[in-house]
Each structure stands twice: as structure tokens, then as C-alpha cells.
Amino acid sequence: MPMSSGMQGMGSMPPQVSSGSPMTPGGVVVQNPPQTFEQSYIENIFRLNLGKVGTFYFTYENNKDWNAKVYKGVLEAAGRDHIIISDPATGQRTVLLMIYFDYATFDEPLTYQYPGVIGNPPTMRNCR
């Protein structure tokens, strides 16, 4: 196999290594296992908690009829730019755009996976 002018005098080419993969001193690439958690974006946190009842707070700027609205319902779906909640009593579903989203509260513990966080937070906290 011919060598390029910049590679003369060198042995074989080192193996291709994907970014972040460690290599042993012998030159063997160690493949990292795939991540089993999603990054901590709000839509991923919502996806981990589908089926839970939450209260969702939204602000609609420059709306003279209603500037802020609160929605309560079962979290059914979460996308990058929207969530879908349903009213448990009527089954009516509402699509809400994340551009207007402020925050959400839940009355039960949330499933939360994030790099460096193992499992879920304790269910009881001593808050004063």
C-alpha cells in the first residue's frame, strides 16, 4: 500500500476513532455503551413522565383577552414544540405550543434521568 509523502517512515495508519471513544495503549478502540438516558430538554423530561397529571402555565404576550392561562390535565404526548394534554373527566385533548410555556407542576414524583443523576430524587424532602 503506497504511503503519502507526509507519512513516509511511519507504520500503518491508526484506526479511525469516533469522537469520545477511548483507545487502549495497544491501539484497540473501546466502544462506549449507548446512553440509556435522554438529554435534559423539557420535551424529554415530559416524555419520561407521560400519563402523569400536571398543571401547565402559559403566557400569551400581547393578548388583550387573556395574557396568562393555566391548564391541568394528563400529559399524553410531548414534542419539541408542543405538548398534548387531556382532561381526565371529559377526554378532551388540547395541543399546547411550547413557545408560550412558562413552567409546570406535578403532584407526584417525576421520572428524571440526566447525566450525573442516578435514578429519581427522593420522594420526601425536608424543606423549611
Side-chain angles (χ1 to χ4, degrees):
M1 184 168 158
M3 292 186 203
S4 67
S5 61
M7 298 297 288
Q8 291 177 353
M10 297 183 75
S12 63
M13 291 287 293
Q16 292 288 329
V17 179
S18 61
S19 177
S21 295
M23 184 184 260
T24 66
V28 177
V29 177
V30 178
Q31 294 298 325
N32 289 330
Q35 293 180 336
T36 57
F37 55 85
E38 295 189 44
Q39 292 181 343
S40 185
Y41 295 110
I42 190 68
E43 69 265 18
N44 293 334
I45 296 169
F46 282 159
R47 282 189 202 116
L48 289 170
N49 291 283
L50 297 178
K52 295 185 179 180
V53 175
T55 305
F56 304 89
Y57 298 83
F58 288 78
T59 301
Y60 303 93
E61 294 181 24
N62 300 320
N63 186 324
K64 60 185 173 185
D65 295 328
W66 33 268
N67 179 265
K69 256 189 130 148
V70 178
Y71 302 89
K72 185 165 184 146
V74 177
L75 184 59
E76 290 201 359
R80 179 167 288 173
D81 66 346
H82 69 281
I83 60 172
I84 299 173
I85 62 170
S86 65
D87 181 333
T90 66
Q92 179 179 8
R93 288 169 175 76
T94 305
V95 178
L96 300 164
L97 298 178
M98 294 302 290
I99 191 169
Y100 303 114
F101 175 73
D102 292 323
Y103 66 97
T105 60
F106 293 84
D107 291 335
E108 61 184 294
L110 295 177
T111 301
Y112 183 72
Q113 294 175 326
Y114 186 73
V117 175
I118 299 172
N120 290 319
T123 56
M124 298 298 228
R125 294 189 181 195
N126 188 6
C127 298
R128 295 178 199 234

